[in-house]
Amino acid sequence: MSLLIASSRVSLPTQYLDLLRYSNGGEGPLALEPLWFALYSTSECIELFHSDSAVATSFPGFVFFGTNGGLEMIGFAITTDAPWRIVMLDPIAGTSSCVEIAPDISAFIRQIGVEG
């Protein structure tokens, strides 16, 4: 966890870090579109959005922490002040496919594990 925090380009919300401490990865139902959520593990997050990967370079306004189990990625839209909106986007279609799925991480977490 400390490596994730140290390498992050933003100050990650406490609620998100608590979620990772509770479940370092995993997947299940989500009572919001896309109805399924797969949380990236700490090591996957470091590799994905804290490195010089294509995702970090192509989507600098986002910090992704999961997926819908398909192509879409789920993460923070960091282009505004915190609390950041939780969004889903298709990395192939680009930022034009971005949709808000929750107003912030607290609202998002309350819907994890709940059938939609």
Side-chain angles (χ1 to χ4, degrees):
M1 186 68 62
S2 59
L3 181 57
L4 175 68
I5 294 167
S7 65
S8 179
R9 53 193 166 105
V10 296
S11 181
L12 296 167
T14 302
Q15 299 95 332
Y16 166 66
L17 296 173
D18 289 345
L19 176 63
L20 278 176
R21 285 182 188 101
Y22 177 78
S23 173
N24 190 19
E27 61 184 284
L30 180 66
L32 304 165
E33 287 294 330
L35 304 178
W36 192 259
F37 174 59
L39 176 67
Y40 294 143
S41 69
T42 303
S43 61
E44 288 172 314
C45 288
I46 292 168
E47 183 179 322
L48 179 67
F49 58 77
H50 296 305
S51 68
D52 291 329
S53 72
V55 171
T57 304
S58 298
F59 303 103
F62 302 91
V63 173
F64 298 107
F65 58 82
T67 178
N68 68 346
L71 291 177
E72 287 80 17
M73 297 169 58
I74 296 171
F76 302 105
I78 60 169
T79 55
T80 61
D81 291 336
W84 301 307
R85 299 174 301 125
I86 306 304
V87 297
M88 178 176 64
L89 87 100
D90 177 342
I92 295 169
T95 56
S96 64
S97 70
C98 182
V99 251
E100 179 178 325
I101 58 174
D104 57 39
I105 191 66
S106 295
F108 181 80
I109 289 172
R110 284 193 300 273
Q111 301 306 312
I112 294 173
V114 179
E115 304 247 354

